[in-house]
Amino acid sequence: PLEEGNLSLEWMIYGDTGYFGCTDAGAASVEIVALSAMEEHIQTLSCFGGVAETDPLPAADYEVSVRLVAGDGSALDEVALGPLTVLPDRTTPLGVVDFTIASAP
């Protein structure tokens, strides 16, 4: 059987005047992009939770980035988290991702 693990993360959205909720920021979702030597995995999570775990990913080394996505599909911000390893039967925490937007729409 394929060995799998997953990722967990939290996120905050900041703008010119401090902290924003998803609605005020115009954000609908958060995308996690995990690129391995073999393939790319993109998972879309609702912005509103502020915390999530991904679906299972094959245990491997990945370059990971996280995008804050508007309702129209455009990226409001993207944060590169760099290389990390997904371990079998483990949840790898990404920690808190701070998104920054120019200002509220």
Side-chain angles (χ1 to χ4, degrees):
L2 183 65
E3 292 190 319
E4 294 179 324
N6 71 343
L7 304 171
S8 67
L9 75 158
E10 299 178 43
W11 55 88
M12 304 283 286
I13 305 168
Y14 294 95
D16 298 339
T17 57
Y19 169 77
F20 285 94
C22 296
T23 302
D24 291 337
S29 61
V30 171
E31 287 182 348
I32 300 176
V33 180
L35 182 63
S36 73
M38 304 297 291
E39 57 196 336
E40 180 180 63
H41 297 270
I42 300 176
Q43 293 193 21
T44 302
L45 310 165
S46 170
C47 177
F48 297 98
V51 59
E53 283 190 12
T54 65
D55 293 332
L57 292 167
D61 294 328
Y62 293 93
E63 285 286 334
V64 176
S65 60
V66 184
R67 286 192 284 247
L68 184 66
V69 181
D72 65 4
S74 62
L76 297 170
D77 191 23
E78 183 167 359
V79 177
L81 301 179
L84 63 89
T85 301
V86 172
L87 299 171
D89 303 318
R90 296 253 172 108
T91 297
T92 302
L94 300 178
V96 178
V97 176
D98 291 335
F99 292 113
T100 304
I101 57 173
S103 61

